[in-house]
Amino acid sequence: MGRSATDLARYPEPVAILVDENTRVVVSGMTGSEGTFHTRQMLEYGTKVVAGVTPGKGGTEHLGLPVFDSMEEAVTATSPNAGLVFVPAPFAKDAVLECAAAGLPFVTLITEGIPILDSVTMMNRLRSEGRTRLLGGNCAGIISPSKCKMGIMPGHIFAEGPVGLVSRSGTLTYEIVWELTRTGLGQTTCVGIGGDPVPGTRFLEVLEMFEADPATTSVVMVGEIGGTDEEAAAEFIKTMKKPVVGFISGRTAPPGKRMGHAGAIVSGSKGTAQSKVDALREAGATVADTPSEIPKLVAASLAASV
Amino acid sequence: MKLHEYQSKDLFSKFGVPVTPGEVASDAEGALRAAQALGGKVVVKAQVLMGGRGKAGGVKLFDRPEDAAAFAGELIGKRLTSVQNPTGMVVEKVLVAQQIEIAEEYYVSILLDRAEQKLVVMCSKEGGMEIEEVAARDPQAIARLVVNPIWGVEDFEIRSLARRAKLPTNVVRQFVPMVKSLVKAYIESDAELIEVNPFALTTDGKLIAADAKVSIDDNSQFRHPEFRETADDAAENPLEAEAARQGIAYVHLGGDIGIIGNGAGLVMCSIDEVSAAGGKPANFLDVGGGAKADRVEKCVRLVLSDPNVKGLLINIFGGITRGEEVAHGILEAFEHLDVSIPVVARIEGTGAQEALNLLSGSKIVGATTMQEAAQRIVALAGA
């Protein structure tokens, strides 16, 4: 069942989780078109991007940042503590494991379309090595508003505040965050765990971090059909002191059809939205029927928990 | 991507797993030659990628090659429908396989265990029926073996699996190397699913894969040129096949409200909202990030080529993609296409106001929330 609370002691415990103003990011695949566009956006947001890695382009400069041939050289020269990977799917596993070998404790993988076997191999190796947390792939990344944006989300829709958010989806998260922000409900950290069937970090682990984070007072969890990670998270929600508002998409998706995300598929009787909604409700979470209900439910949960 | 039975069996053979002797045929003459070569007593199986093929009349046993050929001739070109696939699929090829005398039927499958993030081999003594039925009736009847693909699998683990599944001890000697080969085939082919149902024990004591179901991970296509031809006819629906050719993330759902959005989660959510409003979604379509006018036009064209579509919902959250750019795309698409059905466009986030201003002169109806947009399109399409 993934990493447990005891493993999390290996990771630092910041206010806001996983990334903050002390996060120094190295970008793997920074010189590509995606990498260039989003690195520029991150720099504009104020993220401390310190270097890029592209094999064969070492010694050059890009967006005013040094580019290295290898992660090892980038780590030695610029002391980053987080890696962000943009390389195309066939090279994603290699890039992530290179980050881990160079000693980075945290890696976010944005790339979509990674072969499942690569994700499985990568996760089992990272877990046995035990020193790197992976977030993604196929995710929008992570943002601690006003502190650090490490990903492809539009920064201006986020605001600082007490809500922790974790989600398998990108644009649906933006939709929900936009409504939260406009209602005056800012966020500590928004974590995109991604739409792949074998995610590096799962709901349960992020909920554990939010529960331990003093700045987070309420949690929003956005799940979807496929797999049983929401059900596993619900077991932990039973023990949480902080209120959780949940939302599950794909409630009317037919079984056996893959709904855009590689992981969004109901297989046989496994992974249905109903099973997830039921598990969350039984665990004491409030489950919204439609995204526009979420701010109201979060506000109510905050008022009740004061 | 699902492989046909004959392709799956070819794959098994390549990895040294014994299969029923057989040949694929695409006409009656080919079937006749195959049946004669196989000794006359054969089973003819329609090669269609759908469940319930037997009940749909796509599988029959024959004692004489002439009868097998006649049936093959009837079957090829015919559309088979089943409970699982009411639209059905046209048979293009048949597999002519030797009849075997089966003493016992077992079940073996390999798939991804998402919770463990490893592979799992499942085995049951009760083969020949739907595994979901077995699981529902008696979960204990299915034994599991979790495999870390980095380490692979050892013989003793497979022996333990066989013991837990209560397979007869005299079968285990044949069973172990076969499962080992199937795991190897799974890993080396980037499979998503390998299912052998039944794994048949013949009356003369041989273990054979009597049926074979293999599905390959679409994301691995770049390193598997051997499956490239298969990819073409793997789509279960002509619109899905066309979408795949154009690189559009499209899933056919069979209703009458077309749905276009950006991001898988948002589109799934739009589908839920349309259903909640009493409508029947025709499709899932994700335009992808940063879609420009020509991309939007292609997507609109694809959705409208479904003759059942009576209304279109466009749901966009402008992030890094600006809302007004999408609005321009929609307008351009509508300039080139003669659209007579109602369209509701809901554009939120960055550039939403500009988008609304742009669309205000057109006959496209706006909406603020996703829920409201869904209710509008259902009402308009129903009128």
Side-chain angles (χ1 to χ4, degrees):
Chain A
M1 289 314 301
R3 279 169 291 212
S4 65
T6 50
D7 298 313
L8 292 173
R10 295 198 189 98
Y11 304 99
E13 258 187 67
V15 174
I17 62 166
L18 293 166
V19 297
D20 61 14
E21 59 275 25
N22 300 315
T23 304
R24 293 167 59 84
V25 182
V26 55
V27 180
S28 177
M30 184 176 73
T31 57
S33 65
E34 287 271 293
T36 301
F37 179 80
H38 291 292
T39 302
R40 188 178 285 131
Q41 298 260 331
M42 284 189 285
L43 289 166
E44 279 168 17
Y45 192 79
T47 304
K48 294 186 182 75
V49 185
V50 296
V53 171
T54 302
K57 291 200 175 161
T60 62
E61 220 178 63
H62 190 65
L63 304 174
L65 297 169
V67 178
F68 298 88
D69 281 325
S70 72
M71 198 46 77
E72 193 185 356
E73 293 164 281
V75 167
T76 308
T78 63
S79 334
N81 52 15
L84 180 61
V85 177
F86 277 111
V87 304
F91 317 107
K93 174 171 73 113
D94 178 58
V96 167
L97 293 176
E98 188 186 9
C99 288
L104 292 175
F106 182 56
V107 178
T108 296
L109 173 60
I110 302 297
T111 311
E112 183 178 354
I114 299 160
I116 296 168
L117 191 65
D118 285 8
S119 300
V120 172
T121 312
M122 189 162 68
M123 276 315 295
N124 282 287
R125 178 155 167 193
L126 290 177
R127 194 171 292 130
S128 71
E129 292 173 353
R131 45 167 200 231
T132 304
R133 170 179 293 288
L134 174 68
L135 180 67
N138 192 10
C139 78
I142 178 168
I143 182 168
S144 294
S146 311
K147 297 186 177 79
C148 176
K149 169 180 122 131
M150 194 169 143
I152 60 172
M153 62 288 276
H156 66 273
I157 64 170
F158 296 82
E160 253 182 304
V163 181
L165 186 146
V166 56
S167 170
R168 275 166 77 180
S169 149
T171 44
L172 185 56
T173 301
Y174 309 161
E175 165 98 31
I176 292 164
V177 164
W178 180 245
E179 298 212 23
L180 285 171
T181 298
R182 286 195 302 183
T183 324
L185 295 163
Q187 307 90 38
T188 46
T189 305
C190 295
V191 187
I193 57 174
D196 274 355
V198 182
T201 294
R202 305 200 252 184
F203 282 120
L204 170 67
E205 299 163 272
V206 180
L207 291 182
E208 286 173 333
M209 288 184 259
F210 279 137
E211 179 74 350
D213 173 41
T216 302
T217 55
S218 178
V219 180
V220 175
M221 173 176 153
V222 184
E224 65 191 30
I225 52 163
T228 52
D229 285 358
E230 288 84 352
E231 287 87 333
E235 285 302 308
F236 178 70
I237 292 174
K238 287 181 184 164
T239 70
M240 281 176 75
K241 293 197 176 66
K242 295 176 184 174
V244 176
V245 173
F247 179 75
I248 304 292
S249 64
R251 281 172 292 174
T252 55
K257 290 268 190 183
R258 188 159 270 146
M259 305 300 277
H261 281 155
I265 180 165
V266 175
S267 321
S269 56
K270 277 244 176 92
T272 65
Q274 196 54 50
S275 140
K276 294 169 194 298
V277 170
D278 291 347
L280 289 174
R281 288 216 166 110
E282 264 167 48
T286 315
V287 181
D289 285 326
T290 174
S292 47
E293 260 178 35
I294 293 173
K296 195 174 64 197
L297 296 174
V298 172
S301 77
L302 282 171
S305 64
V306 169
Chain B
M1 176 184 54
K2 291 176 188 167
L3 302 188
H4 285 294
E5 181 189 353
Y6 76 93
Q7 294 163 323
S8 304
K9 284 183 169 171
D10 284 350
L11 185 73
F12 285 10
S13 299
K14 209 175 105 193
F15 283 88
V17 177
V19 297
T20 339
E23 272 176 50
V24 68
S26 45
D27 53 35
E29 286 157 45
L32 182 66
R33 276 196 305 274
Q36 283 164 343
L38 292 163
K41 289 186 76 171
V42 294
V43 53
V44 176
K45 298 165 120 180
Q47 298 298 287
V48 281
L49 297 168
M50 63 179 223
R53 163 180 80 148
K55 282 187 190 135
V59 179
K60 267 186 191 165
L61 299 168
F62 297 95
D63 289 339
R64 299 184 333 123
E66 295 74 22
D67 299 340
F71 176 67
E74 259 172 55
L75 210 49
I76 291 162
K78 190 174 154 187
R79 180 173 290 271
L80 287 187
T81 58
S82 70
V83 185
Q84 289 95 322
N85 190 336
T87 348
M89 299 191 80
V90 175
V91 182
E92 285 173 11
K93 288 184 173 128
V94 295
L95 177 65
V96 182
Q98 208 167 56
Q99 285 184 30
I100 50 169
E101 303 282 329
I102 297 177
E104 286 192 52
E105 295 184 323
Y106 313 125
Y107 173 94
V108 171
S109 66
I110 308 172
L111 61 158
L112 171 70
D113 184 323
R114 291 173 64 159
E116 295 281 347
Q117 301 195 323
K118 293 185 176 75
L119 316 183
V120 61
V121 185
M122 303 214 289
C123 177
S124 168
K125 197 172 179 293
E126 299 181 45
M129 58 184 103
E130 289 287 324
I131 195 67
E132 295 269 334
E133 281 172 35
V134 179
R137 192 164 33 80
D138 180 14
Q140 299 298 316
I142 302 167
R144 294 163 47 89
L145 168 64
V146 172
V147 176
N148 181 334
I150 299 177
W151 300 331
V153 63
E154 300 299 333
D155 290 2
F156 81 90
E157 294 174 301
I158 304 172
R159 286 198 299 268
S160 154
L161 176 75
R163 197 164 55 240
R164 284 180 285 119
K166 301 191 172 65
L167 296 194
T169 31
N170 60 345
V171 174
V172 177
R173 193 186 293 269
Q174 295 180 68
F175 182 74
V176 170
M178 284 185 205
V179 171
K180 214 170 184 179
S181 299
L182 288 174
V183 169
K184 192 166 187 271
Y186 186 97
I187 293 171
E188 289 183 13
S189 314
D190 274 285
E192 244 173 10
L193 170 75
I194 284 185
E195 189 177 53
V196 189
N197 190 21
F199 219 138
L201 180 68
T202 59
T203 44
D204 55 355
K206 287 196 191 104
L207 206 49
I208 284 183
D211 195 359
K213 205 182 267 181
V214 174
S215 178
I216 305 293
D217 175 12
D218 288 333
N219 287 349
S220 76
Q221 275 190 42
F222 66 87
R223 60 188 175 208
H224 291 289
E226 72 271 30
F227 300 129
R228 206 154 281 162
E229 267 176 50
T230 322
D232 278 349
D233 59 6
E236 295 181 29
N237 173 280
L239 284 161
E240 286 179 1
E242 182 52 34
R245 269 190 290 279
Q246 296 189 30
I248 296 170
Y250 173 96
V251 179
H252 187 72
L253 300 174
D256 55 14
I257 308 282
I259 295 170
I260 294 176
N262 64 332
L266 194 65
V267 181
M268 249 189 281
C269 195
S270 313
I271 288 168
D272 290 345
E273 294 287 356
V274 165
S275 305
K280 288 197 168 59
N283 68 278
F284 166 106
L285 193 156
D286 176 6
V287 291
K292 292 279 188 291
D294 58 333
R295 173 87 178 168
V296 175
E297 179 174 340
K298 259 194 202 170
C299 292
V300 171
R301 220 181 257 281
L302 181 75
V303 170
L304 297 187
S305 70
D306 177 349
N308 295 324
V309 169
K310 291 195 299 204
L312 175 62
L313 172 65
I314 300 174
N315 185 17
I316 301 288
F317 189 90
I320 281 160
T321 314
R322 298 192 61 87
E324 73 269 26
E325 270 182 45
V326 177
H328 273 300
I330 298 171
L331 287 176
E332 271 177 47
F334 281 75
E335 229 168 80
H336 299 133
L337 293 167
D338 182 23
V339 183
S340 53
I341 57 166
V343 179
V344 172
R346 181 247 180 190
I347 301 179
E348 253 297 3
T350 318
Q353 193 51 53
E354 294 91 325
L356 285 181
N357 293 345
L358 277 169
L359 296 177
S360 66
S362 73
K363 56 178 183 178
I364 295 162
V365 180
T368 12
T369 67
M370 216 189 296
Q371 198 174 19
E372 185 193 329
Q375 286 164 354
R376 282 222 171 131
I377 191 61
V378 171
L380 288 168

